[in-house]
């Protein structure tokens, strides 16, 4: 009798012990919190850590926290008639350990930021001009989208495939924020058809249910 009650108590005790850790689990899926005020990255350091090592704080100046110009000019020769600049920790070392980054986008008429995902960040898009169709596909295959005008915001949950498409009559512009110092960009088509070394043709033929000539045709665009 004594033994039985002791046994039945064990699972709930265990749950009590691990519950605090379970509650804190979700926060660990984002960039880790800083352990100091700032940590200006040394991007080319030979020391490898999760993020980048810090420049000595004695040599940090106000300029380290300043980035001169986020604006981007439209290059009408760029693929899909849209230009973007992503300011992450690699271009702005002050973002190291701070869990944020930013981008600026300008779309020409019909401009498109093609389907891609950010494995390490949720994205919030602030449309500052024009009309932009923003859409993402959830893991269950449901497509969510909205035409967003100047002043509107649209949020793209972490890791989901999404795009931004100028559906207005003229130029469109947007400023984008990410909750990671290095969101990363995966373009599914380029990842599968343009990797080095190449994903085996047989895998691509099976995955897409197409013949070798189609695989080679798509490869040629991304190789
Ligand atoms: C890293 O870059 C800085 C600035 O460009 C340079 O002075 C330094 O020598 C580089 N260090 C290494 C290890 O490459
Ligand atoms: C920032 O860059 C944009 C586009 O290249 C340019 O029009 C603007 O004048 C620049 N702003 C500053 C303060 O240099
Ligand atoms: C504009 O885009 C084209 C095509 O990607 C590229 O070759 C060219 O260097 C770009 N021009 C500027 C000024 O960035
Ligand atoms: C790209 O955008 C510019 C500016 O809106 C527009 O004049 C041009 O016609 C567009 N190019 C294409 C190929 O649609």
């Amino acid at each position: 009798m004594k033994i039985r009650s002791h046994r039945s108590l064990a699972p709930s005790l265990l749950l009590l012990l691990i519950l605090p850790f379970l509650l804190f689990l979700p926060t660990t899926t984002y960039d880790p919190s800083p352990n100091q005020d700032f940590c200006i990255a040394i991007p080319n350091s030979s020391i490898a850590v999760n993020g980048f090592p810090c420049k000595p704080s004695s040599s940090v100046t106000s300029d380290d926290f300043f980035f001169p110009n986020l604006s981007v000019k439209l290059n009408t020769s760029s693929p899909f008639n849209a230009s973007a600049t992503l300011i992450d920790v690699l271009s702005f070392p002050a973002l190291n350990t701070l869990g944020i980054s930013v981008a600026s986008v300008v779309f020409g008429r019909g401009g498109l930021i093609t389907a891609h995902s950010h494995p390490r960040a949720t994205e919030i898009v602030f449309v500052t001009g024009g009309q932009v169709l923003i859409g993402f596909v959830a893991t269950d295959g449901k497509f969510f989208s909205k035409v967003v005008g100047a002043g509107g915001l649209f949020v793209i949950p972490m890791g989901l495939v999404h795009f931004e498409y100028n559906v207005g009559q003229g130029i469109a512009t947007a400023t984008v924020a990410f909750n990671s110092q290095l969101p990363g960009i995966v373009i599914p088509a380029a990842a599968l058809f343009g990797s080095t070394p190449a994903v085996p043709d047989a895998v691509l033929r099976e995955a897409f249910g197409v013949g070798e000539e189609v695989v080679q045709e798509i490869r040629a665009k991304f190789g």
Side-chain angles (χ1 to χ4, degrees):
M1 191 63 180
K2 212 175 187 181
I3 290 168
R4 200 179 299 150
S5 69
H6 184 75
R7 269 190 191 152
S8 66
L9 198 64
S12 55
L13 253 178
L14 188 67
L15 188 67
L16 265 179
L17 284 173
I18 63 169
L19 196 63
F21 299 99
L22 289 177
L23 289 176
F24 282 109
L25 260 183
T27 60
T28 63
T29 61
Y30 298 89
D31 281 13
S33 301
N35 294 317
Q36 62 285 302
D37 285 356
F38 49 80
C39 171
I40 311 297
I42 307 173
N44 64 347
S45 168
S46 55
I47 301 165
V49 293
N50 184 21
F52 297 97
C54 316
K55 178 174 166 173
S57 48
S58 56
S59 66
V60 172
T61 69
S62 299
D63 279 340
D64 282 306
F65 301 97
F66 172 71
F67 190 87
N69 197 344
L70 173 64
S71 310
V72 58
K73 270 208 176 88
L74 177 65
N75 175 356
T76 50
S77 322
S78 61
F80 311 118
N81 212 13
S83 304
T85 170
L86 169 63
I87 308 303
D88 60 20
V89 68
L90 300 177
S91 41
F92 191 11
L95 302 186
N96 193 34
T97 73
L98 299 182
I100 88 176
S101 55
V102 66
S104 181
V105 190
V106 56
F107 304 83
R109 205 175 160 148
L112 171 70
I113 299 293
T114 191
H116 65 284
S117 67
H118 304 289
R120 290 180 290 275
T122 289
E123 167 174 343
I124 188 158
V125 184
F126 175 40
V127 175
T128 49
Q131 297 279 316
V132 185
L133 172 67
I134 308 175
F136 68 85
V137 181
T139 54
D140 64 0
K142 186 163 182 193
F143 175 51
F144 295 91
S145 73
K146 187 92 185 159
V147 174
V148 184
L153 296 173
F154 198 77
V155 68
I156 294 143
M158 179 179 276
L160 300 182
V161 173
H162 61 281
F163 65 84
E164 285 104 12
Y165 183 40
N166 180 6
V167 292
Q169 297 306 306
I171 298 273
T173 50
T175 301
V176 179
F178 302 94
N179 66 337
S180 169
Q181 63 174 20
L182 192 62
I185 300 173
V186 176
I187 299 172
L192 288 171
F193 290 88
S195 68
T196 314
V199 171
D201 285 7
V203 172
L204 298 174
R205 287 198 307 268
E206 288 289 329
F208 292 92
V210 297
E212 184 60 27
E213 62 294 350
V214 177
V215 169
Q216 291 312 329
E217 190 186 335
I218 304 176
R219 230 190 241 302
K221 294 189 212 294
F222 295 100

